[in-house]
């Protein structure tokens, strides 16, 4: 009986972790990237770690060479400097070495760059993000078009929007209306600006695209985990550049369909309904997990 109970508990715990709201955001003393929720971001993480295997040894080699030069060829220990004008072996090494290193870096970087602009499948729908001084406007280019603005959430408005939990809705990152997308769906993102150059950056998605007035730049993403993710404008765009966050809420396909239908009439009401649905689902899974824990005990 013990093994089946463990299996039930493990399954429910996994479901709880997968269902409960996760918020990817900067944390104190963070030195790495935010958790990746797209394949592109995982490739970026891999390439970052891959380059360190080159950067580390090269840095140590240069350090060692500098120390040798400083100690061995200083005036006190080497009063009669060499008159050597060239050395064929050294010149071949310092020419071929960097070429090989650059090739090892260039090939995977070009492959990653190509993947960032080549979605694996035809995007299911398109969202246009327009940068303004200093907020974002979103247009869903679907059958029944949905459009709304996304503005930094002020402390005075937290209660009105039901976003008083600062762990999930942090100061200077939370917005009044998040972009809502379905999990496991390829989304085409068009980025532009209405006044000055902005930049749409979502670290967990591996997305960073400049918004240039009078121009449409295209990228894509496919989030594979539900949750709430934060980014910011990453192009200096004026005095309130630091107050131009980006919020994307990834939900199930069913929740997205319900939200989209309601958002065509009232975006804020649709968001409130979506948040209530998510909280209800979290409570149901938590109760199930508690019951499983009681059975286990």
């Amino acid at each position: 009986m013990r093994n089946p109970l463990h299996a039930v508990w493990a399954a429910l715990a996994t479901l709880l972790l997968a269902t409960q709201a996760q918020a990817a955001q900067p944390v104190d003393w963070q030195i790495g990237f935010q958790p990746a929720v797209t394949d592109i971001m995982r490739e970026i993480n891999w390439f970052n770690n891959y380059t360190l295997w080159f950067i580390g040894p090269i840095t140590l080699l240069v350090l060692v060479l500098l120390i040798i030069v400083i100690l061995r060829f200083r005036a006190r220990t080497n009063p009669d400097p060499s008159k050597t004008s060239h050395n064929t072996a050294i010149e071949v090494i310092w020419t071929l070495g960097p070429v090989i290193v650059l090739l090892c870096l260039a090939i995977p970087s070009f492959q990653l760059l190509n993947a960032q602009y080549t979605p694996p499948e035809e995007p299911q729908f398109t969202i246009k993000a327009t940068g303004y001084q200093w907020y974002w406007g979103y247009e869903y280019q679907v059958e029944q078009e949905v459009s709304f603005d996304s503005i930094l959430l002020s402390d005075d408005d937290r209660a009105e929007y039901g976003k008083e939990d600062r762990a999930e809705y942090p100061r200077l990152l939370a917005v009044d209306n998040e972009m809502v997308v379905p999990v496991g769906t390829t989304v085409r993102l068009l980025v532009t600006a209405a006044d000055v150059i902005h930049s749409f950056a979502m670290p967990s998605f591996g997305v960073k695209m400049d918004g240039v007035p009078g121009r449409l730049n295209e990228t894509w993403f496919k989030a594979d985990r539900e949750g709430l993710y934060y980014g910011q404008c990453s192009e200096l765009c004026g005095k309130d550049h630091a107050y131009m966050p980006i919020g994307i809420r990834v939900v199930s396909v069913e929740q997205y369909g319900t939200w989209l239908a309601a958002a065509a009439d009232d975006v804020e009401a649709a968001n409130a309904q979506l948040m209530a649905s998510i909280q209800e689902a979290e409570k149901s899974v938590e109760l199930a997990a508690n019951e499983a824990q009681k059975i286990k005990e």
Side-chain angles (χ1 to χ4, degrees):
M1 188 66 180
R2 183 177 180 83
N3 288 338
L5 284 176
H6 275 284
V8 170
W9 169 245
L12 285 172
T14 302
L15 181 61
L16 175 61
L17 291 174
T19 305
Q20 71 180 140
Q22 301 181 13
Q25 55 185 279
V27 297
D28 292 340
W29 303 102
Q30 183 175 8
I31 61 174
F33 293 123
Q34 293 183 22
V37 293
T38 66
D39 288 338
I40 288 295
M41 189 59 207
R42 293 187 188 93
E43 290 186 40
I44 293 174
N45 277 329
W46 174 86
F47 185 69
N48 174 70
N49 296 330
Y50 173 76
T51 57
L52 290 178
W53 288 101
F54 294 90
I55 294 172
I58 290 172
T59 302
L60 292 176
L61 174 62
V62 172
L63 177 62
V64 170
L65 292 176
L66 285 173
I67 293 174
I68 291 174
V69 170
I70 291 170
L71 296 179
R72 183 175 178 182
F73 298 104
R74 67 187 191 274
R76 182 184 302 174
T77 60
N78 192 45
D80 186 19
S82 171
K83 301 298 191 296
T84 303
S85 61
H86 68 280
N87 184 296
T88 302
I90 292 178
E91 291 179 4
V92 170
I93 291 173
W94 73 35
T95 300
L96 291 181
V99 168
I100 293 173
V101 170
L102 289 176
L103 282 174
C104 292
L105 294 176
I107 293 174
S109 70
F110 289 154
Q111 292 174 336
L112 175 58
L113 185 63
N114 181 66
Q116 287 180 299
Y117 291 95
T118 309
E121 59 188 2
E122 184 65 23
Q124 277 84 339
F125 63 93
T126 300
I127 300 176
K128 179 182 177 183
T130 304
Y132 301 90
Q133 290 179 309
W134 288 269
Y135 61 96
W136 291 94
Y138 300 127
E139 298 176 25
Y140 285 65
Q141 298 180 1
V142 292
E143 183 176 352
Q144 194 170 5
E145 186 174 311
V146 173
S147 61
F148 56 90
D149 293 332
S150 182
I151 302 172
L152 175 71
L153 182 68
S154 67
D155 290 340
D156 294 338
D157 294 334
R158 285 183 175 273
E160 178 184 349
Y161 286 93
K163 299 179 177 180
E164 296 176 288
D165 183 358
R166 291 177 180 266
E168 187 173 1
Y169 303 101
R171 179 176 175 271
L172 300 183
L173 283 177
V175 296
D176 55 356
N177 300 311
E178 297 91 5
M179 178 195 295
V180 179
V181 297
V183 68
T185 302
T186 302
V187 180
R188 177 187 290 112
L189 181 67
L190 302 178
V191 183
T192 187
D195 32 49
V196 299
I197 299 178
H198 300 278
S199 185
F200 188 97
M202 180 55 61
S204 292
F205 291 9
V207 169
K208 185 176 184 298
M209 181 62 67
D210 282 353
V212 182
R215 177 174 178 176
L216 279 178
N217 289 329
E218 180 179 331
T219 187
W220 66 278
F221 61 83
K222 182 179 181 180
D224 54 24
R225 194 188 329 155
E226 296 180 31
L228 183 56
Y229 304 96
Y230 294 106
Q232 291 176 295
C233 175
S234 296
E235 186 73 39
L236 187 59
C237 56
K239 70 179 184 67
D240 285 341
H241 163 69
Y243 307 102
M244 195 173 167
I246 300 167
I248 299 182
R249 190 184 293 274
V250 182
V251 298
S252 68
V253 175
E254 295 76 15
Q255 289 173 326
Y256 170 76
T258 303
W259 173 87
L260 188 64
D265 297 323
D266 189 335
V267 171
E268 292 187 359
N271 288 340
Q273 180 181 353
L274 177 62
M275 290 174 59
S277 172
I278 293 173
Q279 292 170 0
E280 183 177 351
E282 290 173 2
K283 289 179 180 178
S284 298
V285 175
E286 188 174 357
L287 287 174
N290 291 336
E291 289 298 324
Q293 177 67 19
K294 291 179 182 178
I295 295 174
K296 178 184 174 183
E297 294 172 350

